[in-house]
Short mmCIF file of all heavy atoms in Angstrom, two decimals:
data_model
loop_
_atom_site.label_atom_id
_atom_site.label_comp_id
_atom_site.label_asym_id
_atom_site.label_seq_id
_atom_site.Cartn_x
_atom_site.Cartn_y
_atom_site.Cartn_z
N MET F 23 99.75 -246.47 63.17
CA MET F 23 98.94 -245.53 63.86
C MET F 23 97.50 -245.93 63.74
O MET F 23 97.08 -246.26 62.63
CB MET F 23 99.16 -244.16 63.23
CG MET F 23 98.38 -243.11 63.93
SD MET F 23 98.99 -241.59 63.16
CE MET F 23 98.60 -240.42 64.16
N GLY F 24 96.82 -245.94 64.84
CA GLY F 24 95.33 -246.28 64.81
C GLY F 24 94.69 -245.86 66.08
O GLY F 24 95.30 -245.09 66.82
N GLY F 25 93.51 -246.35 66.25
CA GLY F 25 92.77 -246.20 67.52
C GLY F 25 92.42 -244.70 67.63
O GLY F 25 91.99 -244.04 66.66
N GLN F 26 92.57 -244.23 68.80
CA GLN F 26 92.08 -242.86 69.03
C GLN F 26 92.90 -241.72 68.41
O GLN F 26 92.38 -240.80 67.96
CB GLN F 26 92.36 -242.56 70.63
CG GLN F 26 91.26 -243.29 71.36
CD GLN F 26 91.37 -243.06 73.00
OE1 GLN F 26 92.49 -243.19 73.38
NE2 GLN F 26 90.34 -242.65 73.58
N GLU F 27 94.30 -242.07 68.20
CA GLU F 27 95.00 -241.04 67.40
C GLU F 27 94.63 -240.85 65.98
O GLU F 27 94.44 -239.81 65.53
CB GLU F 27 96.53 -241.49 67.28
CG GLU F 27 97.20 -241.58 68.69
CD GLU F 27 97.09 -242.90 69.40
OE1 GLU F 27 96.62 -243.92 68.72
OE2 GLU F 27 97.35 -242.89 70.49
N GLN F 28 94.15 -241.97 65.29
CA GLN F 28 93.61 -241.93 63.98
C GLN F 28 92.21 -241.27 63.89
O GLN F 28 91.91 -240.54 63.09
CB GLN F 28 93.56 -243.26 63.38
CG GLN F 28 93.08 -243.39 61.90
CD GLN F 28 94.09 -242.59 61.04
OE1 GLN F 28 95.31 -242.73 61.20
NE2 GLN F 28 93.69 -241.94 59.95
N GLN F 29 91.35 -241.50 64.94
CA GLN F 29 90.13 -240.94 64.89
C GLN F 29 90.08 -239.46 65.00
O GLN F 29 89.17 -238.74 64.63
CB GLN F 29 89.26 -241.49 66.06
CG GLN F 29 88.92 -242.96 65.92
CD GLN F 29 88.18 -243.63 67.00
OE1 GLN F 29 88.05 -243.00 67.98
NE2 GLN F 29 87.72 -244.86 66.86
N GLY F 30 91.10 -238.84 65.64
CA GLY F 30 91.26 -237.37 65.87
C GLY F 30 91.79 -236.66 64.64
O GLY F 30 91.99 -235.44 64.63
N ARG F 31 91.98 -237.45 63.47
CA ARG F 31 92.60 -236.77 62.36
C ARG F 31 91.63 -236.81 61.12
O ARG F 31 91.12 -237.91 60.91
CB ARG F 31 93.89 -237.54 61.92
CG ARG F 31 94.98 -237.34 63.01
CD ARG F 31 96.21 -238.05 62.62
NE ARG F 31 96.76 -237.38 61.47
CZ ARG F 31 97.89 -237.94 60.94
NH1 ARG F 31 98.59 -239.02 61.40
NH2 ARG F 31 98.44 -237.30 59.83
N ASP F 32 91.55 -235.86 60.46
CA ASP F 32 90.75 -235.86 59.19
C ASP F 32 91.74 -235.55 57.97
O ASP F 32 92.60 -234.79 58.11
CB ASP F 32 89.70 -234.68 59.16
CG ASP F 32 88.63 -235.05 60.11
OD1 ASP F 32 88.22 -236.27 60.30
OD2 ASP F 32 88.08 -234.12 60.70
N THR F 33 91.50 -236.26 56.91
CA THR F 33 92.21 -236.02 55.72
C THR F 33 91.59 -234.80 54.96
O THR F 33 90.41 -234.79 54.71
CB THR F 33 92.35 -237.28 54.82
OG1 THR F 33 92.90 -238.30 55.52
CG2 THR F 33 93.13 -237.05 53.58
N VAL F 34 92.51 -233.83 54.58
CA VAL F 34 92.02 -232.73 53.79
C VAL F 34 92.93 -232.65 52.62
O VAL F 34 94.11 -232.67 52.67
CB VAL F 34 92.15 -231.45 54.67
CG1 VAL F 34 91.78 -230.22 53.96
CG2 VAL F 34 91.29 -231.53 55.95
N ILE F 35 92.27 -232.51 51.44
CA ILE F 35 92.91 -232.34 50.21
C ILE F 35 92.58 -230.88 49.74
O ILE F 35 91.34 -230.63 49.53
CB ILE F 35 92.65 -233.43 49.17
CG1 ILE F 35 92.87 -234.71 49.73
CG2 ILE F 35 93.27 -233.08 47.84
CD1 ILE F 35 92.46 -235.90 48.87
N VAL F 36 93.60 -230.12 49.56
CA VAL F 36 93.43 -228.81 48.90
C VAL F 36 94.08 -228.85 47.46
O VAL F 36 95.25 -229.29 47.35
CB VAL F 36 94.12 -227.73 49.69
CG1 VAL F 36 94.09 -226.39 49.02
CG2 VAL F 36 93.64 -227.66 51.21
N GLY F 37 93.34 -228.53 46.51
CA GLY F 37 93.79 -228.55 45.12
C GLY F 37 93.63 -227.28 44.42
O GLY F 37 92.68 -226.63 44.56
N TRP F 38 94.53 -227.09 43.44
CA TRP F 38 94.52 -225.94 42.50
C TRP F 38 94.67 -226.45 41.19
O TRP F 38 95.37 -227.32 40.81
CB TRP F 38 95.59 -224.93 42.93
CG TRP F 38 95.44 -224.27 44.13
CD1 TRP F 38 94.65 -223.18 44.44
CD2 TRP F 38 96.19 -224.61 45.41
NE1 TRP F 38 94.87 -222.78 45.74
CE2 TRP F 38 95.71 -223.61 46.41
CE3 TRP F 38 97.00 -225.59 45.76
CZ2 TRP F 38 96.22 -223.70 47.68
CZ3 TRP F 38 97.40 -225.63 47.18
CH2 TRP F 38 97.06 -224.75 48.03
N THR F 39 94.05 -225.68 40.21
CA THR F 39 94.41 -225.79 38.80
C THR F 39 95.33 -224.60 38.57
O THR F 39 94.93 -223.36 38.75
CB THR F 39 93.10 -225.72 37.88
OG1 THR F 39 92.25 -226.72 38.24
CG2 THR F 39 93.43 -225.82 36.44
N VAL F 40 96.53 -224.96 37.94
CA VAL F 40 97.57 -223.89 37.72
C VAL F 40 97.75 -223.81 36.27
O VAL F 40 97.84 -224.80 35.58
CB VAL F 40 98.78 -224.36 38.48
CG1 VAL F 40 99.86 -223.34 38.34
CG2 VAL F 40 98.59 -224.68 39.97
N TYR F 41 97.99 -222.53 35.87
CA TYR F 41 98.27 -222.20 34.50
C TYR F 41 99.77 -221.62 34.43
O TYR F 41 99.89 -220.50 34.92
CB TYR F 41 97.26 -221.25 33.86
CG TYR F 41 95.86 -221.78 33.97
CD1 TYR F 41 94.97 -221.62 34.93
CD2 TYR F 41 95.46 -222.61 32.83
CE1 TYR F 41 93.82 -222.16 34.94
CE2 TYR F 41 94.08 -223.15 32.84
CZ TYR F 41 93.34 -222.94 33.89
OH TYR F 41 92.07 -223.53 33.94
N ALA F 42 100.58 -222.44 33.97
CA ALA F 42 102.08 -222.02 33.92
C ALA F 42 102.37 -221.35 32.50
O ALA F 42 101.71 -221.60 31.60
CB ALA F 42 102.92 -223.11 34.24
N PRO F 43 103.41 -220.56 32.53
CA PRO F 43 103.77 -220.03 31.31
C PRO F 43 104.10 -220.99 30.14
O PRO F 43 104.51 -222.15 30.48
CB PRO F 43 105.07 -219.16 31.55
CG PRO F 43 105.06 -218.97 33.04
CD PRO F 43 104.33 -220.18 33.52
N PRO F 44 103.98 -220.61 28.83
CA PRO F 44 104.09 -221.54 27.82
C PRO F 44 105.56 -222.07 27.84
O PRO F 44 106.56 -221.34 28.29
CB PRO F 44 104.02 -220.59 26.42
CG PRO F 44 103.13 -219.55 26.97
CD PRO F 44 103.43 -219.33 28.44
N GLY F 45 105.77 -223.40 27.49
CA GLY F 45 107.08 -223.91 27.46
C GLY F 45 107.57 -224.48 28.84
O GLY F 45 108.60 -225.05 28.93
N THR F 46 106.67 -224.37 29.95
CA THR F 46 107.09 -224.87 31.26
C THR F 46 107.13 -226.43 31.11
O THR F 46 106.12 -227.08 30.65
CB THR F 46 106.07 -224.51 32.27
OG1 THR F 46 106.04 -223.01 32.38
CG2 THR F 46 106.39 -224.98 33.62
N LEU F 47 108.19 -227.05 31.56
CA LEU F 47 108.34 -228.43 31.50
C LEU F 47 108.08 -229.03 32.90
O LEU F 47 108.71 -228.65 33.93
CB LEU F 47 109.74 -228.82 31.06
CG LEU F 47 110.11 -228.43 29.69
CD1 LEU F 47 111.67 -228.77 29.39
CD2 LEU F 47 109.25 -228.98 28.67
N LEU F 48 107.07 -229.96 32.99
CA LEU F 48 106.67 -230.60 34.32
C LEU F 48 106.43 -231.98 34.16
O LEU F 48 106.15 -232.50 33.01
CB LEU F 48 105.25 -229.95 34.72
CG LEU F 48 105.38 -228.50 35.07
CD1 LEU F 48 103.86 -228.01 35.14
CD2 LEU F 48 106.03 -228.17 36.28
N ARG F 49 106.69 -232.67 35.16
CA ARG F 49 106.44 -234.19 35.22
C ARG F 49 105.53 -234.47 36.38
O ARG F 49 105.54 -233.64 37.36
CB ARG F 49 107.67 -235.04 35.31
CG ARG F 49 108.60 -234.89 34.09
CD ARG F 49 109.87 -235.67 34.32
NE ARG F 49 110.52 -234.79 35.46
CZ ARG F 49 111.81 -235.08 35.77
NH1 ARG F 49 112.41 -236.07 35.27
NH2 ARG F 49 112.43 -234.34 36.70
N THR F 50 104.83 -235.63 36.53
CA THR F 50 104.05 -235.91 37.61
C THR F 50 104.77 -236.19 38.85
O THR F 50 104.18 -236.23 39.98
CB THR F 50 103.12 -237.16 37.26
OG1 THR F 50 103.99 -238.26 36.92
CG2 THR F 50 102.17 -236.81 36.12
N THR F 51 106.06 -236.43 38.80
CA THR F 51 106.87 -236.64 39.95
C THR F 51 107.52 -235.37 40.57
O THR F 51 108.14 -235.32 41.61
CB THR F 51 108.09 -237.47 39.63
OG1 THR F 51 108.86 -237.01 38.56
CG2 THR F 51 107.63 -238.92 39.16
N ASP F 52 107.20 -234.19 39.90
CA ASP F 52 107.65 -232.85 40.37
C ASP F 52 106.80 -232.32 41.38
O ASP F 52 105.68 -232.86 41.70
CB ASP F 52 107.69 -231.92 39.26
CG ASP F 52 108.79 -232.22 38.17
OD1 ASP F 52 109.70 -232.87 38.56
OD2 ASP F 52 108.62 -231.78 37.10
N LYS F 53 107.27 -231.38 42.08
CA LYS F 53 106.44 -230.56 43.01
C LYS F 53 106.39 -229.16 42.68
O LYS F 53 107.37 -228.71 42.01
CB LYS F 53 107.00 -230.70 44.49
CG LYS F 53 106.97 -232.20 45.03
CD LYS F 53 107.43 -232.25 46.43
CE LYS F 53 107.43 -233.76 46.86
NZ LYS F 53 106.69 -234.04 47.98
N ALA F 54 105.41 -228.42 43.06
CA ALA F 54 105.21 -227.01 42.63
C ALA F 54 104.84 -226.19 43.96
O ALA F 54 104.20 -226.72 44.78
CB ALA F 54 104.29 -226.84 41.62
N ARG F 55 105.34 -225.01 43.99
CA ARG F 55 105.00 -224.09 45.11
C ARG F 55 103.82 -223.21 44.60
O ARG F 55 103.95 -222.54 43.62
CB ARG F 55 106.09 -223.26 45.50
CG ARG F 55 105.80 -222.36 46.74
CD ARG F 55 107.03 -221.63 47.24
NE ARG F 55 108.08 -222.50 47.58
CZ ARG F 55 108.20 -223.06 48.84
NH1 ARG F 55 107.30 -222.91 49.77
NH2 ARG F 55 109.21 -223.89 49.12
N VAL F 56 102.70 -223.44 45.27
CA VAL F 56 101.43 -222.61 44.88
C VAL F 56 101.06 -221.78 46.16
O VAL F 56 100.74 -222.41 47.12
CB VAL F 56 100.32 -223.60 44.39
CG1 VAL F 56 99.10 -222.84 44.04
CG2 VAL F 56 100.71 -224.56 43.28
N ARG F 57 100.98 -220.55 45.92
CA ARG F 57 100.61 -219.69 47.01
C ARG F 57 101.40 -219.92 48.27
O ARG F 57 100.87 -219.91 49.39
CB ARG F 57 99.14 -219.65 47.29
CG ARG F 57 98.26 -219.15 46.12
CD ARG F 57 96.86 -219.13 46.43
NE ARG F 57 96.06 -218.68 45.32
CZ ARG F 57 94.79 -218.63 45.35
NH1 ARG F 57 94.13 -219.01 46.37
NH2 ARG F 57 94.14 -218.17 44.20
N GLY F 58 102.65 -220.16 48.13
CA GLY F 58 103.57 -220.42 49.23
C GLY F 58 103.55 -221.85 49.83
O GLY F 58 104.21 -222.14 50.79
N VAL F 59 102.68 -222.78 49.26
CA VAL F 59 102.54 -224.16 49.70
C VAL F 59 103.15 -225.06 48.83
O VAL F 59 102.84 -225.02 47.54
CB VAL F 59 101.02 -224.38 49.95
CG1 VAL F 59 100.78 -225.89 50.44
CG2 VAL F 59 100.47 -223.45 50.87
N VAL F 60 103.89 -226.05 49.19
CA VAL F 60 104.54 -227.10 48.31
C VAL F 60 103.44 -228.08 48.09
O VAL F 60 102.90 -228.71 48.93
CB VAL F 60 105.77 -227.68 48.91
CG1 VAL F 60 106.23 -228.75 48.06
CG2 VAL F 60 106.85 -226.56 49.11
N CYS F 61 103.15 -228.38 46.80
CA CYS F 61 102.11 -229.32 46.42
C CYS F 61 102.62 -230.26 45.49
O CYS F 61 103.65 -230.07 44.72
CB CYS F 61 101.00 -228.56 45.66
SG CYS F 61 100.25 -227.23 46.54
N GLU F 62 102.06 -231.52 45.34
CA GLU F 62 102.45 -232.49 44.44
C GLU F 62 101.59 -232.30 43.06
O GLU F 62 100.49 -231.82 43.08
CB GLU F 62 102.02 -233.91 44.91
CG GLU F 62 102.72 -234.07 46.25
CD GLU F 62 103.35 -235.53 46.40
OE1 GLU F 62 103.18 -236.29 45.50
OE2 GLU F 62 103.90 -235.69 47.55
N ILE F 63 102.26 -232.57 41.95
CA ILE F 63 101.53 -232.44 40.75
C ILE F 63 100.82 -233.72 40.52
O ILE F 63 101.39 -234.82 40.59
CB ILE F 63 102.53 -232.18 39.61
CG1 ILE F 63 103.13 -230.78 39.83
CG2 ILE F 63 101.87 -232.26 38.15
CD1 ILE F 63 104.24 -230.37 38.83
N THR F 64 99.42 -233.66 40.27
CA THR F 64 98.59 -234.89 40.05
C THR F 64 98.13 -234.80 38.64
O THR F 64 97.64 -233.87 38.10
CB THR F 64 97.53 -234.89 41.04
OG1 THR F 64 96.78 -233.52 40.91
CG2 THR F 64 97.96 -234.93 42.50
N GLY F 65 98.27 -236.00 38.00
CA GLY F 65 97.82 -236.06 36.63
C GLY F 65 98.88 -235.55 35.74
O GLY F 65 99.90 -235.07 36.03
N GLU F 66 98.57 -235.68 34.35
CA GLU F 66 99.59 -235.26 33.36
C GLU F 66 99.32 -233.78 32.99
O GLU F 66 98.17 -233.32 32.88
CB GLU F 66 99.32 -236.05 32.15
CG GLU F 66 99.79 -237.45 32.13
CD GLU F 66 101.29 -237.61 32.31
OE1 GLU F 66 102.09 -236.78 31.71
OE2 GLU F 66 101.77 -238.47 32.95
N PRO F 67 100.40 -232.93 32.90
CA PRO F 67 100.25 -231.50 32.65
C PRO F 67 99.81 -231.41 31.14
O PRO F 67 100.13 -232.34 30.33
CB PRO F 67 101.68 -230.94 32.84
CG PRO F 67 102.35 -231.96 33.64
CD PRO F 67 101.72 -233.30 33.56
N GLY F 68 98.92 -230.52 30.87
CA GLY F 68 98.37 -230.30 29.55
C GLY F 68 98.91 -229.11 28.95
O GLY F 68 98.94 -227.93 29.53
N ASP F 69 99.34 -229.12 27.67
CA ASP F 69 99.91 -228.01 27.00
C ASP F 69 98.78 -227.50 25.97
O ASP F 69 98.34 -228.30 25.20
CB ASP F 69 101.20 -228.37 26.11
CG ASP F 69 101.79 -227.20 25.44
OD1 ASP F 69 101.24 -226.13 25.40
OD2 ASP F 69 102.99 -227.39 25.05
N TRP F 70 98.50 -226.28 26.05
CA TRP F 70 97.32 -225.76 25.26
C TRP F 70 97.76 -225.53 23.83
O TRP F 70 96.86 -225.35 22.97
CB TRP F 70 96.83 -224.49 25.81
CG TRP F 70 95.93 -224.64 27.03
CD1 TRP F 70 96.06 -225.43 28.13
CD2 TRP F 70 94.96 -223.86 27.39
NE1 TRP F 70 95.20 -225.33 28.97
CE2 TRP F 70 94.41 -224.29 28.59
CE3 TRP F 70 94.23 -222.77 26.81
CZ2 TRP F 70 93.30 -223.87 29.25
CZ3 TRP F 70 93.08 -222.19 27.46
CH2 TRP F 70 92.74 -222.69 28.63
N GLY F 71 98.99 -225.68 23.56
CA GLY F 71 99.54 -225.52 22.22
C GLY F 71 99.29 -224.03 21.69
O GLY F 71 99.25 -223.14 22.37
N ARG F 72 99.26 -223.90 20.34
CA ARG F 72 99.12 -222.67 19.68
C ARG F 72 97.73 -222.33 19.41
O ARG F 72 96.95 -223.18 18.96
CB ARG F 72 99.88 -222.60 18.32
CG ARG F 72 101.47 -222.44 18.59
CD ARG F 72 102.08 -222.30 17.23
NE ARG F 72 103.45 -222.23 17.41
CZ ARG F 72 104.13 -221.17 17.11
NH1 ARG F 72 103.54 -220.19 16.40
NH2 ARG F 72 105.49 -221.06 17.36
N SER F 73 97.32 -221.01 19.45
CA SER F 73 96.07 -220.58 19.04
C SER F 73 96.01 -220.61 17.50
O SER F 73 96.87 -220.06 16.77
CB SER F 73 95.82 -219.19 19.51
OG SER F 73 94.64 -218.58 18.85
N PRO F 74 94.93 -221.25 16.92
CA PRO F 74 94.80 -221.23 15.51
C PRO F 74 94.51 -219.79 14.90
O PRO F 74 94.64 -219.54 13.64
CB PRO F 74 93.61 -222.11 15.19
CG PRO F 74 92.89 -222.14 16.44
CD PRO F 74 93.77 -221.85 17.52
N PHE F 75 94.08 -218.90 15.70
CA PHE F 75 93.71 -217.57 15.37
C PHE F 75 94.87 -216.56 15.37
O PHE F 75 95.09 -215.73 14.50
CB PHE F 75 92.56 -217.05 16.14
CG PHE F 75 91.25 -217.98 15.99
CD1 PHE F 75 91.05 -218.73 17.17
CD2 PHE F 75 90.63 -218.09 14.96
CE1 PHE F 75 89.90 -219.56 17.15
CE2 PHE F 75 89.50 -218.97 14.85
CZ PHE F 75 89.26 -219.67 16.06
N THR F 76 95.65 -216.65 16.46
CA THR F 76 96.69 -215.64 16.64
C THR F 76 98.10 -216.25 16.54
O THR F 76 99.09 -215.55 16.37
CB THR F 76 96.58 -215.00 18.05
OG1 THR F 76 96.87 -215.97 19.01
CG2 THR F 76 95.23 -214.32 18.21
N GLY F 77 98.24 -217.62 16.65
CA GLY F 77 99.52 -218.26 16.68
C GLY F 77 100.32 -218.17 17.90
O GLY F 77 101.44 -218.69 17.90
N THR F 78 99.78 -217.52 18.94
CA THR F 78 100.44 -217.39 20.21
C THR F 78 100.41 -218.77 20.97
O THR F 78 99.35 -219.48 20.79
CB THR F 78 99.94 -216.31 21.06
OG1 THR F 78 98.57 -216.48 21.27
CG2 THR F 78 100.21 -214.93 20.31
N HIS F 79 101.33 -219.03 21.79
CA HIS F 79 101.23 -220.17 22.58
C HIS F 79 100.44 -219.98 23.85
O HIS F 79 100.57 -218.90 24.47
CB HIS F 79 102.86 -220.59 23.04
CG HIS F 79 103.56 -221.36 22.00
ND1 HIS F 79 103.45 -222.53 21.65
CD2 HIS F 79 104.51 -220.66 21.21
CE1 HIS F 79 104.28 -222.69 20.64
NE2 HIS F 79 105.04 -221.55 20.36
N GLY F 80 99.66 -220.98 24.19
CA GLY F 80 98.89 -220.96 25.31
C GLY F 80 99.69 -221.53 26.55
O GLY F 80 100.79 -222.03 26.45
N PRO F 81 98.92 -221.50 27.70
CA PRO F 81 99.66 -221.98 28.93
C PRO F 81 99.84 -223.36 29.08
O PRO F 81 99.23 -224.21 28.26
CB PRO F 81 98.81 -221.36 29.97
CG PRO F 81 97.40 -221.45 29.38
CD PRO F 81 97.65 -221.03 28.02
N VAL F 82 100.55 -223.95 30.04
CA VAL F 82 100.62 -225.33 30.40
C VAL F 82 99.71 -225.40 31.63
O VAL F 82 99.94 -224.73 32.63
CB VAL F 82 102.02 -225.71 30.68
CG1 VAL F 82 102.10 -227.21 31.28
CG2 VAL F 82 102.94 -225.60 29.50
N GLN F 83 98.80 -226.30 31.59
CA GLN F 83 97.79 -226.48 32.71
C GLN F 83 98.14 -227.71 33.47
O GLN F 83 98.41 -228.84 32.93
CB GLN F 83 96.37 -226.56 32.21
CG GLN F 83 95.31 -226.76 33.29
CD GLN F 83 93.99 -226.85 32.64
OE1 GLN F 83 93.75 -226.47 31.52
NE2 GLN F 83 93.04 -227.27 33.39
N PHE F 84 98.10 -227.66 34.88
CA PHE F 84 98.34 -228.91 35.69
C PHE F 84 97.59 -228.73 36.99
O PHE F 84 97.19 -227.53 37.51
CB PHE F 84 99.75 -229.05 35.90
CG PHE F 84 100.56 -228.09 36.74
CD1 PHE F 84 100.59 -228.16 38.12
CD2 PHE F 84 101.17 -226.95 36.10
CE1 PHE F 84 101.24 -227.23 38.82
CE2 PHE F 84 101.73 -226.08 36.81
CZ PHE F 84 101.92 -226.16 38.15
N ALA F 85 97.25 -229.91 37.61
CA ALA F 85 96.62 -229.89 38.93
C ALA F 85 97.74 -229.97 39.92
O ALA F 85 98.56 -230.90 39.80
CB ALA F 85 95.56 -230.93 38.93
N ALA F 86 97.55 -229.31 41.08
CA ALA F 86 98.44 -229.44 42.11
C ALA F 86 97.67 -229.63 43.42
O ALA F 86 96.74 -228.90 43.68
CB ALA F 86 99.31 -228.08 42.29
N ASP F 87 97.97 -230.68 44.20
CA ASP F 87 97.22 -230.95 45.46
C ASP F 87 98.17 -230.94 46.70
O ASP F 87 99.29 -231.47 46.58
CB ASP F 87 96.60 -232.37 45.34
CG ASP F 87 95.48 -232.47 44.16
OD1 ASP F 87 94.96 -231.38 43.94
OD2 ASP F 87 95.21 -233.53 43.77
N ARG F 88 97.59 -230.61 47.81
CA ARG F 88 98.32 -230.75 49.08
C ARG F 88 97.42 -231.55 49.98
O ARG F 88 96.16 -231.25 50.15
CB ARG F 88 98.51 -229.32 49.67
CG ARG F 88 99.29 -229.50 51.08
CD ARG F 88 99.34 -228.18 51.68
NE ARG F 88 97.84 -227.76 52.14
CZ ARG F 88 97.69 -226.77 52.89
NH1 ARG F 88 98.68 -226.08 53.40
NH2 ARG F 88 96.51 -226.49 53.29
N VAL F 89 97.92 -232.59 50.48
CA VAL F 89 97.14 -233.57 51.38
C VAL F 89 97.70 -233.40 52.77
O VAL F 89 98.84 -233.51 53.06
CB VAL F 89 97.31 -235.07 50.97
CG1 VAL F 89 96.47 -235.92 51.87
CG2 VAL F 89 96.85 -235.14 49.49
N THR F 90 96.82 -233.20 53.76
CA THR F 90 97.16 -233.16 55.09
C THR F 90 96.31 -234.08 55.92
O THR F 90 95.05 -234.39 55.59
CB THR F 90 96.97 -231.76 55.69
OG1 THR F 90 95.68 -231.29 55.61
CG2 THR F 90 97.86 -230.78 55.02
N GLY F 91 96.74 -234.58 57.07
CA GLY F 91 95.99 -235.32 57.96
C GLY F 91 96.25 -236.87 57.94
O GLY F 91 96.89 -237.44 57.28
#
């Protein structure tokens, strides 16, 4: 695809930072539904671990992107 067809298209990336419940298992090859939109997980998910003050588990944080165009 190229020429005039390509010139009429713009690439748009919509991204979210998502905080999932503690213990959520994710890989970079997975997809997630965010606000009804299927997105790719970008980067490594981060586990916040336990709070040193309360001992409760924190969320799992990950980036989810949707690319169009």
Side-chain angles (χ1 to χ4, degrees):
M23 181 177 201
Q26 290 178 306
E27 295 88 12
Q28 185 63 35
Q29 290 175 356
R31 296 177 66 180
D32 290 326
T33 299
V34 177
I35 300 173
V36 177
W38 290 278
T39 299
V40 181
Y41 299 92
T46 301
L47 299 176
L48 299 165
R49 295 175 292 186
T50 56
T51 55
D52 292 339
K53 294 185 186 233
R55 184 175 301 274
V56 180
R57 296 185 179 177
V59 177
V60 176
C61 301
E62 305 222 358
I63 295 176
T64 54
E66 289 292 324
D69 187 344
W70 284 36
R72 284 183 179 242
S73 167
F75 304 106
T76 64
T78 58
H79 287 280
V82 174
Q83 178 182 343
F84 64 93
D87 293 339
R88 180 186 70 167
V89 179
T90 59

